[in-house]
Amino acid sequence: RARNPSGRIVALSDIHGQYELMVQLLRANGVIDAKNRWKLGRDQLVLTGDVFDRGPRVTEVFWLLQQLQEQARKAGGAVHFLLGNHETMVLYDDLRYVNPKYLQVAEKLGLSHAALYAKDTYLGQWLRSRPVMLRLGDTLFLHGGIAPENIDLATDMEATNQAYRDSRGTPKAELKADPRLARLYDGKKSPIWYRGYFDGALDTAQVAALLKKLGVARIVVGHTSMQHVSSFHDGRVIAIDSSIKQGESGELLFIENGVTSRGMLDGTRQPLAEGKVESDED
């Protein structure tokens, strides 16, 4: 647990194997130094999932996050990596979006792709131990979002994170057939897949009621691609998937003393963009 919950929080999401872009963004905004070492001291970095798939440098991202996690811990800060739907997909062997490089690596090693991240591997163990939801101060972080009918999953966050840990890597058909687990992985309403803040399923009054029940000021999510880090529903929902997966640009979210801004690729800071939905299907 981080020792400085009231300090600065930096967040990003949906890196999808774009290691160079992530490093450029973190360096430009003072999160890491020129040698990729932790520079945020007692502050915190949150990643809301989807390192896997699409881009060519997935494992480099994971190893850097692990190193930063240890460096941050020693400095009194923290790096939190929350799992997204693409981590879940890879762990239950849904390889539709996997970069071909990783299939070739597995083949050359004489292994299945699943074996690269199995329970007996270092990265496999680390991934299986990551949470899906995190609350820091008055902000809830997760990959997709909380649907109103799943509010108990967020109010009993510890039990939910444990349920994900216990079930990760279970074959997809088994997950869908178990009523207790199905809603953790459901492609529409589960915390790692939900898009209801952006597709018209909820209006601002309903989002406000949801946050009131959760006791938070804002929900920060990835998963739904935007051109910019964007504010929705009068600042109650912040979308931080800034389309890094396209390999061209990306942005960070900063939360400092309750004030939000976005960190740009050149290191400058801008107000959050006003949300305009640009959803994708993954």
Side-chain angles (χ1 to χ4, degrees):
R1 187 168 293 278
R3 292 171 238 168
N4 189 26
S6 61
R8 180 170 48 165
I9 300 168
V10 184
L12 78 160
S13 192
D14 293 75
I15 295 157
H16 285 295
Q18 298 291 346
Y19 173 79
E20 291 91 346
L21 199 51
M22 181 186 83
V23 166
Q24 185 184 346
L25 193 54
L26 294 179
R27 283 181 182 174
N29 287 277
V31 177
I32 59 177
D33 66 16
K35 293 186 176 178
N36 296 346
R37 294 173 302 204
W38 180 251
K39 201 178 170 183
L40 271 191
R42 293 169 61 84
D43 295 329
Q44 301 184 71
L45 173 66
V46 182
L47 294 96
T48 62
D50 279 12
V51 164
F52 269 125
D53 292 346
R54 295 199 168 89
R57 300 191 69 186
V58 169
T59 48
E60 291 92 330
V61 175
F62 282 137
W63 290 122
L64 178 58
L65 291 179
Q66 288 215 309
Q67 291 164 14
L68 292 176
Q69 200 167 53
E70 184 59 23
Q71 292 163 10
R73 189 185 62 78
K74 288 178 178 173
V79 173
H80 308 277
F81 177 62
L82 312 179
L83 292 199
N85 62 303
H86 279 265
E87 279 74 38
T88 293
M89 289 163 72
V90 168
L91 290 176
Y92 61 43
D93 224 22
D94 182 338
L95 307 182
R96 282 175 290 164
Y97 299 95
V98 169
N99 189 289
K101 164 185 161 180
Y102 292 100
L103 300 176
Q104 292 159 11
V105 166
E107 190 179 348
K108 285 180 179 176
L109 291 170
L111 297 170
S112 67
H113 185 273
L116 299 178
Y117 305 100
K119 285 182 181 177
D120 61 353
T121 66
Y122 187 83
L123 274 181
Q125 287 180 2
W126 184 74
L127 284 166
R128 283 167 174 76
S129 67
R130 296 306 93 200
V132 166
M133 288 181 234
L134 171 73
R135 179 173 172 166
L136 294 176
D138 58 2
T139 305
L140 175 65
F141 295 88
L142 73 163
H143 184 66
I146 294 295
E149 53 266 58
N150 282 334
I151 199 162
D152 61 302
L153 294 179
T155 53
D156 197 355
M157 194 180 303
E158 206 169 306
T160 300
N161 281 330
Q162 191 59 49
Y164 275 108
R165 288 188 190 102
D166 293 343
S167 59
R168 223 159 263 155
T170 302
K172 188 176 180 179
E174 285 184 38
L175 294 172
K176 303 287 184 185
D178 185 335
R180 293 169 305 147
L181 297 176
R183 70 182 185 136
L184 299 181
Y185 296 92
D186 175 78
K188 296 289 185 191
K189 297 286 183 72
S190 71
I192 53 176
W193 284 95
Y194 187 61
R195 300 186 198 271
Y197 310 137
F198 313 114
D199 63 7
L202 299 183
D203 63 23
T204 295
Q206 289 169 307
V207 171
L210 179 72
L211 265 65
K212 188 174 182 183
K213 286 178 185 170
L214 292 170
V216 296
R218 66 188 71 82
I219 298 177
V220 174
V221 298
H223 187 51
T224 302
S225 296
M226 305 288 163
Q227 288 185 326
H228 305 286
V229 169
S230 302
S231 168
F232 288 80
H233 303 295
D234 300 330
R236 293 180 180 89
V237 174
I238 301 174
I240 63 168
D241 174 355
S242 57
S243 301
I244 292 172
K245 66 185 179 189
Q246 293 173 6
E248 294 165 8
S249 66
E251 299 173 0
L252 300 176
L253 169 68
F254 280 80
I255 304 175
E256 299 167 275
N257 301 314
V259 178
T260 57
S261 62
R262 54 192 167 111
M264 311 301 283
L265 207 51
D266 62 0
T268 60
R269 299 277 280 277
Q270 302 283 343
L272 300 192
E274 279 303 312
K276 181 172 180 285
V277 178
E278 295 182 31
S279 175
D280 58 13
E281 279 84 48
D282 66 323

